Amino acid sequence: MSVGYVAGRSILGRLFGNPLVIFAAGAAVGYYGYKYRKEIAAAVAKGTDLGKDLVLNARENLADLVEETREAEEAAGKAKE
């Protein structure tokens, strides 16, 4: 291990282990979370809608593939006759 890595790790370890730093980070996250709560809620709702659309499109594509496979099997069965 390099000396810089060990020194950096110990400084970061002490910095992030300090309760005052953790409290300040939590307060900052809480402040910005409250300040931008409407934008965050809108982004989450948009993401949820996109996820639902993705699932519906995948389900539709799968149904189309199953139908095409059935049609191909029926055509192959009629060709053998």
Side-chain angles (χ1 to χ4, degrees):
M1 284 201 237
S2 71
V3 175
Y5 174 75
V6 173
R9 193 178 74 190
S10 66
I11 290 171
L12 287 177
R14 278 190 251 146
L15 181 65
F16 291 127
N18 188 340
L20 186 59
V21 172
I22 294 172
F23 176 75
V29 168
Y31 171 76
Y32 284 108
Y34 181 76
K35 182 177 179 181
Y36 295 109
R37 67 189 180 280
K38 292 178 184 175
E39 290 86 354
I40 293 169
V44 168
K46 183 178 179 183
T48 303
D49 290 341
L50 290 176
K52 287 178 184 177
D53 289 344
L54 179 70
V55 169
L56 291 175
N57 286 336
R59 185 178 293 167
E60 184 178 328
N61 289 340
L62 182 60
D64 291 343
L65 282 172
V66 169
E67 185 62 31
E68 289 175 6
T69 304
R70 285 184 185 157
E71 290 174 359
E73 287 175 354
E74 288 176 4
K78 289 181 182 178
K80 287 185 180 179
E81 292 175 3

